Amino acid sequence: MGTKLFGLNDKKNWHDYLNRLNNKDVYYTPEYCEIHERNGDGVAQLYLYEEGSDFVLYPYLLRCLNTLPHLCQVTQKYGNLYDITTPYGYGGPLTNVKEEARLNEILSRFTNSFRDYCKNADIITEFIRFHPLYQNHNLFTCGEKFYIRDTIYVDLTKDYDEIWANYDTKNRNRIRKSKSYDLQIKHRNRNERQDLLRLYNSTMKRTGAKEYYYFSDTYFQDTLELLGDNVELIEVVTEEEKVVMSVIFMLGDEYIHYHLLGSDQEYLRLATNNLVVDYMVQWAKERGFKAMHLGGGYAGNNDSLYRFKKHFNKNGALPFYIGKQIHNETIYKELAASIPEECQGYFPVYRHSNLTQTRPAEKMIKIL
């Protein structure tokens, strides 16, 4: 048995282990993690626990607490302190072990190994957003895990007629009507992102999205360039050549993800969003993908975004879980002691948005 720690300078070995999984997803790749390292969200790492040909791998972002000014008294006392989190989206541990008895054994030893690593590396807390399609919250055997909300997926292994039948009736009607307009769906080159940025930011402003959901032009550029063949930029264009909807889909081995989208409010009545999702369902199915993950809503199972996604599969809800772990209770209590009462209940409490931005100020888009 043994452990290894890979960074972005060791992408080959990182990919070698991912390729030994039955189904490598884009969220686990070093390129996806690199997007967020470049965005200032932390240092991308892959922790590997290995026993012969069996292994557990776990990608995350390592963040330094010493950069948070409100923690300076504690960090000056202890030196460099860290926490870890899943990059924007989904992640958590994965393993190539399938047999149940063997799975329980290796997960137990992985958990002990990773706990020891965190203790020795001065990692105080851990926050995980588990992958709904993998349902890997079941692999989390320590700390706490919580159901947050449902996400929606489309099963692409079914015949398209069956997929279409699982669409909500109003959704099918909107797609039919959208096809009657003079609209074109275009696959764009990775350097044609100007309309995506414009439409995405206007959509976030229109929907009242939190600052966390705003991204810089560099973030979009890095996403399109680093993911390469694992990303599709799709746009809807009117007969006047006006781009009225733009969306990024990310591609894994078997899963395709509806990622970041922007649409022109004046053209929402044309149901361009519905049109594109249906088009990409067919596009992905023709290329052998097994599932399209649409994600969830902003705040639960009742907001407009969740309802829109559910229109594409009435029976496609998947539970989304998060995981929380405190690796050093003593230091965490000291860090939490300096945090105002109104911030308590957030995890980790010292990263509450009232105290510090999720991303460095220079990386943020100004909300107009």
Side-chain angles (χ1 to χ4, degrees):
M1 67 180 65
T3 63
K4 297 175 183 176
L5 191 66
F6 299 135
L8 295 180
N9 60 344
D10 206 352
K11 290 183 180 180
K12 182 182 183 303
N13 281 321
W14 188 322
H15 273 292
D16 285 345
Y17 280 95
L18 287 179
N19 289 332
R20 289 167 60 185
L21 298 172
N22 290 333
N23 173 17
K24 177 177 71 175
D25 197 36
V26 63
Y27 284 114
Y28 285 78
T29 63
E31 289 77 19
Y32 184 78
C33 294
E34 184 175 359
I35 296 166
H36 299 87
E37 178 171 313
R38 289 188 183 185
N39 197 52
D41 298 333
V43 176
Q45 294 184 338
L46 180 80
Y47 183 86
L48 180 80
Y49 177 81
E50 192 170 24
E51 296 181 0
S53 60
D54 298 335
F55 62 87
V56 182
L57 57 77
Y58 177 23
Y60 55 82
L61 297 172
L62 179 73
R63 306 181 294 186
C64 184
L65 305 190
N66 299 60
T67 61
L68 304 179
H70 54 277
L71 302 182
C72 63
Q73 289 187 340
V74 179
T75 55
Q76 286 173 3
K77 176 181 177 181
Y78 290 102
N80 289 336
L81 300 175
Y82 304 91
D83 63 10
I84 58 178
T85 188
T86 304
Y88 179 88
Y90 308 108
L94 285 181
T95 179
N96 66 337
V97 177
K98 303 300 180 185
E99 196 272 321
E100 185 174 355
R102 174 66 178 142
L103 178 63
N104 292 334
E105 291 175 358
I106 195 170
L107 287 178
S108 176
R109 289 192 283 271
F110 159 77
T111 298
N112 292 334
S113 172
F114 190 68
R115 184 188 294 119
D116 290 343
Y117 163 71
C118 289
K119 181 178 179 180
N120 293 330
D122 295 313
I123 294 170
I124 309 304
T125 66
E126 173 185 3
F127 181 80
I128 308 173
R129 287 185 290 272
F130 292 105
H131 197 301
L133 286 167
Y134 286 135
Q135 289 290 286
N136 58 333
H137 61 276
N138 295 312
L139 305 182
F140 191 65
T141 57
C142 61
E144 300 177 288
K145 56 186 174 185
F146 302 89
Y147 165 79
I148 299 300
R149 56 181 172 267
D150 287 342
T151 65
I152 299 297
Y153 85 107
V154 178
D155 185 351
L156 300 178
T157 65
K158 296 181 178 180
D159 292 337
Y160 177 70
D161 288 345
E162 187 176 353
I163 294 173
W164 175 262
N166 276 326
Y167 288 2
D168 177 88
T169 301
K170 291 182 179 179
N171 186 30
R172 293 197 298 266
N173 290 337
R174 296 200 77 191
I175 293 168
R176 291 189 188 102
K177 189 172 183 180
S178 187
K179 289 179 178 179
S180 71
Y181 300 123
D182 192 4
L183 300 171
Q184 289 186 322
I185 296 175
K186 295 188 176 183
H187 292 251
R188 296 297 200 187
N189 294 325
R190 291 191 286 272
N191 60 352
E192 298 178 287
R193 66 182 184 279
Q194 63 276 5
D195 289 302
L196 171 65
L197 183 64
R198 171 181 61 84
L199 292 169
Y200 181 83
N201 286 332
S202 67
T203 299
M204 293 301 99
K205 182 179 179 181
R206 183 176 73 245
T207 57
K210 295 180 180 179
E211 201 168 89
Y212 175 76
Y213 293 102
Y214 281 77
F215 300 99
S216 67
D217 177 52
T218 301
Y219 180 88
F220 286 99
Q221 178 181 343
D222 289 341
T223 298
L224 294 168
E225 290 184 357
L226 287 171
L227 295 187
D229 292 338
N230 293 107
V231 67
E232 288 286 336
L233 175 58
I234 308 297
E235 294 186 333
V236 177
V237 182
T238 67
E239 59 181 332
E240 294 84 16
E241 290 297 315
K242 181 177 182 179
V243 177
V244 296
M245 188 267 195
S246 185
V247 58
I248 290 175
F249 284 85
M250 300 193 305
L251 319 177
D253 284 354
E254 298 181 358
Y255 301 150
I256 177 170
H257 299 273
Y258 179 77
H259 189 44
L260 300 174
L261 170 145
S263 53
D264 191 318
Q265 185 175 14
E266 293 183 17
Y267 292 83
L268 290 178
R269 59 184 175 80
L270 303 185
T272 54
N273 297 3
N274 307 64
L275 179 69
V276 164
V277 173
D278 178 63
Y279 165 80
M280 287 301 291
V281 163
Q282 297 177 72
W283 182 92
K285 180 173 175 56
E286 290 171 358
R287 285 156 180 79
F289 289 94
K290 293 184 177 180
M292 175 180 288
H293 191 239
L294 299 176
Y298 290 119
N301 295 345
N302 292 310
D303 64 27
S304 60
L305 180 60
Y306 177 81
R307 291 193 298 271
F308 165 76
K309 293 174 179 179
K310 192 172 183 180
H311 288 329
F312 286 91
N313 191 350
K314 294 177 287 188
N315 304 308
L318 292 170
F320 167 52
Y321 283 80
I322 62 169
K324 303 177 182 180
Q325 173 84 337
I326 298 174
H327 291 287
N328 190 316
E329 290 277 0
T330 300
I331 295 181
Y332 185 72
K333 288 179 180 178
E334 289 191 48
L335 294 168
S338 63
I339 306 304
E341 181 65 29
E342 62 267 21
C343 298
Q344 300 295 327
Y346 188 85
F347 185 85
V349 64
Y350 52 77
R351 288 197 181 272
H352 194 284
S353 58
N354 287 351
L355 301 169
T356 180
Q357 291 184 340
T358 305
R359 302 184 183 88
E362 66 271 17
K363 296 287 186 179
M364 294 297 297
I365 285 287
K366 182 179 179 182
I367 302 176
L368 301 176

